[in-house]
Amino acid sequence: MRSISRIAALATALMALVPAAGLAQSTAEQEAKNRAANIAAYPDAARALFGQKTTPASMEARAIGSYARGCLAGAEALPVDGPSWQVMRLNRNRNWGHPVLIDYLEKLARDVPRITGWPGLLVGDMSQPRGGPMLTGHASHQIGLDADVWLTPMPKERVDRDQRENMSATNMARADWRDIDPNNWTPAHSRLIHTVAAEPRVERIFVNPALKVALCREAGADKGWLEKVRPMWGHNYHFHIRMVCPAGMASCHGQEPPNFGDGCGAELSGWVERQYQAIFHPPKPKPGPKPKPKPPMSLDALPPECRQVLVSR
Ligand SMILES: [Zn+2]
């Protein structure tokens, strides 16, 4: 059932995701170069048009379209410093979201010291000021309802500007990628993810399969909440919070409520095994010329209202 090309696609996806999340060697300058190169390669692609907007569209706040195909009107910024959070990688200008996301992240951050004993949260990518596809990383995060939260606790001492760009997150996966690294993962990580899963406004959480292995084990008999916690490639340095579409917002196309059971059995073992194979036994590249990559999404692929979001003041 699993074709070679599917495994090859998975290997490519993993290669793309793992360094993007870790960013051990990446610098703001290198990231800016990558963005510029992607603009130059496809200047009319939706990612180039949305990726160059530095301010939100002054319109009523609305998530338009779906998580991986849409845009965001009337975005708010999560302040880069809060009493118990800090935003990382400020050069990316991705700390934007629909007010329901900002509201929830601020509430969660306030509760974090009590839940985890950590001083607070380090917040990674959310959306661009007008949402839409990004010049680098992430298929989703387009409608202001997705956020990546680091699994590294916020340190007691504030993280300075330079560290925010260059400090690397901690890989929570064990060297064989079949379970967590007990040197880094703590019961507080489980409690934090459980708390987020219990929030009715949260639709899905994405974590690396290796992390879900630990969550399933540590949950004991109470596994119901794990239905929302879905395995996903990458997400070993951070976990991904996805909000439900705001009530009554017809322009926002959410996902079906989760209906997978706790997903701790054969489904999870399948993910773990596919990840293991892709990392340690990647398929050999086919001889001959490389297949041309698909061109990036065009503006026509987004809901028509996204054109107004793009040109709005
Ligand atoms: Zn994510």
Side-chain angles (χ1 to χ4, degrees):
M1 205 182 98
R2 230 170 284 132
S3 68
I4 293 291
S5 68
R6 230 183 109 196
I7 294 181
L10 163 58
T12 314
L14 275 167
M15 291 310 125
L17 276 174
V18 172
L23 286 163
Q25 312 88 344
S26 199
T27 62
E29 267 169 35
Q30 186 56 51
E31 292 191 7
K33 269 190 206 156
N34 295 346
R35 288 195 293 266
N38 286 339
I39 294 169
Y42 294 98
D44 301 324
R47 67 180 190 188
L49 302 172
F50 279 93
Q52 292 178 89
K53 291 289 178 188
T54 55
T55 56
S58 53
M59 302 165 75
E60 188 195 348
R62 247 167 5 116
I64 301 167
S66 53
Y67 302 97
R69 196 176 279 262
C71 60
L72 171 65
E76 263 180 34
L78 178 70
V80 299
D81 283 290
S84 49
W85 74 84
Q86 284 194 264
V87 175
M88 301 298 281
R89 309 298 189 239
L90 301 180
N91 86 87
R92 298 180 187 169
N93 193 25
R94 290 177 180 171
N95 57 318
W96 298 86
H98 186 278
V100 301
L101 176 65
I102 307 295
D103 184 67
Y104 177 60
L105 288 177
E106 293 187 356
K107 174 189 177 294
L108 176 65
R110 274 197 300 276
D111 293 344
V112 153
R114 184 176 49 78
I115 300 162
T116 60
W118 304 352
L121 291 180
L122 297 177
V123 180
D125 285 359
M126 297 161 54
S127 286
Q128 303 178 127
R130 299 183 191 210
M134 296 186 186
L135 284 161
T136 54
H138 306 295
S140 68
H141 292 250
Q142 294 193 20
I143 57 175
L145 297 175
D146 293 286
D148 287 336
V149 171
W150 284 34
L151 290 160
T152 313
M154 187 178 98
K156 248 207 303 293
E157 295 77 31
R158 287 269 141 178
V159 182
D160 68 27
R161 291 303 270 216
D162 184 56
Q163 287 173 310
R164 290 196 207 208
E165 301 302 346
N166 298 308
M167 175 182 151
S168 45
T170 314
N171 182 5
M172 292 291 152
R174 202 168 66 185
D176 67 359
W177 289 79
R178 290 186 182 278
D179 206 321
I180 45 89
D181 181 343
N183 297 315
N184 297 329
W185 179 267
T186 65
H189 288 94
S190 272
R191 288 199 300 274
L192 173 62
I193 295 173
H194 189 163
T195 303
V196 177
E199 166 62 46
R201 292 179 292 171
V202 169
E203 184 169 72
R204 296 274 196 285
I205 295 168
F206 298 112
V207 296
N208 189 272
L211 277 51
K212 181 147 180 175
V213 168
L215 293 171
C216 288
R217 181 176 52 239
E218 290 165 16
D222 165 32
K223 288 192 170 57
W225 60 276
L226 284 160
E227 187 161 48
K228 268 191 201 177
V229 184
R230 301 294 299 155
M232 188 55 65
W233 314 123
H235 298 91
N236 49 308
Y237 294 93
H238 63 257
F239 72 109
H240 180 133
I241 301 176
R242 172 168 292 172
M243 308 299 289
V244 175
C245 278
M249 190 171 287
S251 60
C252 182
H253 303 297
Q255 287 177 283
E256 292 294 307
N259 181 26
F260 315 96
D262 59 39
C264 289
E267 193 210 353
L268 182 57
S269 334
W271 278 89
V272 169
E273 192 55 33
R274 290 198 296 281
Q275 174 166 262
Y276 179 85
Q277 293 302 332
I279 292 173
F280 295 100
H281 304 286
K284 292 207 174 68
K286 285 205 192 100
K290 271 202 200 144
K292 266 220 190 105
K294 259 200 337 205
M297 199 182 281
S298 80
L299 200 50
D300 292 334
L302 300 178
E305 289 161 283
C306 289
R307 290 183 182 269
Q308 281 155 257
V309 171
L310 197 59
V311 300
S312 159
R313 274 198 311 117

